[in-house]
Amino acid sequence: MFSFLKPDPIKKLRKHYDQKLEQAMQAQRKGDIKTYSLLTAESETIWHQIEALEKSNK
Protein backbone atom coordinates (compact mmCIF):
# COMPACT_ATOMS: atom_id res chain seq x y z
CA MET A 1 0.00 0.00 0.00
CA PHE A 2 2.71 2.46 0.97
CA SER A 3 5.47 1.06 -1.20
CA PHE A 4 6.57 4.57 -2.15
CA LEU A 5 7.70 5.11 1.45
CA LYS A 6 10.11 2.16 1.39
CA PRO A 7 13.71 3.11 0.63
CA ASP A 8 14.99 1.97 -2.74
CA PRO A 9 18.17 -0.13 -2.23
CA ILE A 10 19.20 0.29 -5.88
CA LYS A 11 19.10 4.08 -5.59
CA LYS A 12 21.21 3.94 -2.43
CA LEU A 13 23.76 1.63 -4.08
CA ARG A 14 23.97 3.83 -7.18
CA LYS A 15 24.73 6.84 -4.99
CA HIS A 16 27.43 4.89 -3.18
CA TYR A 17 28.79 3.67 -6.54
CA ASP A 18 29.00 7.22 -7.88
CA GLN A 19 30.80 8.36 -4.72
CA LYS A 20 33.39 5.58 -5.08
CA LEU A 21 34.01 6.49 -8.71
CA GLU A 22 34.43 10.15 -7.76
CA GLN A 23 36.93 9.21 -5.03
CA ALA A 24 38.80 6.98 -7.49
CA MET A 25 39.01 9.79 -10.02
CA GLN A 26 40.39 12.17 -7.39
CA ALA A 27 42.98 9.58 -6.30
CA GLN A 28 44.02 9.08 -9.92
CA ARG A 29 44.44 12.83 -10.42
CA LYS A 30 46.65 12.98 -7.34
CA GLY A 31 48.79 10.15 -8.72
CA ASP A 32 47.79 7.61 -6.07
CA ILE A 33 47.34 4.62 -8.35
CA LYS A 34 47.10 2.06 -5.54
CA THR A 35 44.14 3.85 -3.94
CA TYR A 36 42.62 4.35 -7.39
CA SER A 37 42.73 0.63 -8.12
CA LEU A 38 41.26 -0.26 -4.71
CA LEU A 39 38.40 2.20 -5.10
CA THR A 40 37.73 1.03 -8.64
CA ALA A 41 37.56 -2.58 -7.44
CA GLU A 42 35.11 -1.57 -4.70
CA SER A 43 32.96 0.26 -7.22
CA GLU A 44 32.90 -2.82 -9.46
CA THR A 45 31.66 -4.91 -6.54
CA ILE A 46 28.91 -2.39 -5.89
CA TRP A 47 27.98 -2.41 -9.60
CA HIS A 48 27.59 -6.21 -9.51
CA GLN A 49 25.27 -5.85 -6.52
CA ILE A 50 23.19 -3.29 -8.43
CA GLU A 51 22.92 -5.60 -11.44
CA ALA A 52 21.86 -8.52 -9.23
CA LEU A 53 19.14 -6.43 -7.58
CA GLU A 54 17.88 -5.18 -10.94
CA LYS A 55 17.66 -8.74 -12.27
CA SER A 56 15.79 -9.93 -9.18
CA ASN A 57 13.29 -7.07 -9.48
CA LYS A 58 12.33 -7.98 -13.04
Side-chain angles (χ1 to χ4, degrees), residues 6-9 11 16 19-20 26 28-31 37-38 41-42 44 46 49 52-54 57-58:
K6 293 180 184 177
D8 185 14
K11 185 176 179 181
H16 192 62
Q19 289 174 347
K20 287 291 180 184
Q26 294 299 326
Q28 186 181 25
R29 285 184 178 176
K30 291 179 183 177
S37 63
L38 291 173
E42 288 177 21
E44 286 295 320
I46 294 169
Q49 292 173 353
L53 283 172
E54 287 177 343
N57 285 343
K58 289 184 179 180

Side-chain angles (χ1 to χ4, degrees), residues 8-57:
D8 185 14
I10 294 174
K11 185 176 179 181
K12 184 177 178 182
L13 281 174
R14 281 188 187 272
K15 184 176 180 181
H16 192 62
Y17 173 74
D18 290 339
Q19 289 174 347
K20 287 291 180 184
L21 286 180
E22 180 71 27
Q23 291 173 352
M25 180 189 66
Q26 294 299 326
Q28 186 181 25
R29 285 184 178 176
K30 291 179 183 177
D32 190 358
I33 302 303
K34 184 176 180 180
T35 303
Y36 166 74
S37 63
L38 291 173
L39 290 170
T40 304
E42 288 177 21
S43 67
E44 286 295 320
T45 303
I46 294 169
W47 183 252
H48 291 300
Q49 292 173 353
I50 292 170
E51 287 180 334
L53 283 172
E54 287 177 343
K55 285 182 182 178
S56 67
N57 285 343

